[in-house]
Amino acid sequence: SVVKNSRNMKVVREYTLLISAQLAQLELRSHGIDCVILDEHMASLTPFFALDGGIRLAVSDEDYSQSVELLENLPPLTG
């Protein structure tokens, strides 16, 4: 799914692991929030790209506050 108006987007969180960003994206989408991983292709092609926290998850301005709250309550990725 593509965010409707990508010009009014805000980075809600940055990740070092692509899987963490993808899980956060799934969580937000399960609550009806459109979001996009801005660096998903770069991170999948160049895994070391993400070591600097380079994987950004973005949402629309109007969904930002709710997204922050939802992601704060998301349990940490363990494995």
Side-chain angles (χ1 to χ4, degrees):
S1 142
V2 175
V3 176
K4 294 173 185 121
N5 186 353
S6 61
R7 286 182 279 177
N8 295 325
M9 294 183 65
K10 194 174 197 178
V11 173
V12 69
R13 191 165 281 183
E14 294 182 355
Y15 297 90
T16 56
L17 294 174
L18 181 56
I19 188 69
S20 296
Q22 291 168 330
L23 290 172
Q25 182 181 47
L26 288 172
E27 177 69 12
L28 294 180
R29 286 183 176 171
S30 76
H31 290 276
I33 297 173
D34 284 332
C35 55
V36 63
I37 300 172
L38 298 175
D39 310 293
E40 186 168 15
H41 298 294
M42 183 62 120
S44 64
L45 293 172
T46 312
F48 296 109
F49 172 79
L51 292 177
D52 291 331
I55 304 170
R56 300 170 295 158
L57 181 62
V59 298
S60 65
D61 287 341
E62 59 265 13
D63 290 329
Y64 182 80
S65 296
Q66 182 184 5
S67 298
V68 168
E69 185 177 327
L70 288 168
L71 294 177
E72 285 176 355
N73 295 319
L74 192 63
L77 180 66
T78 59

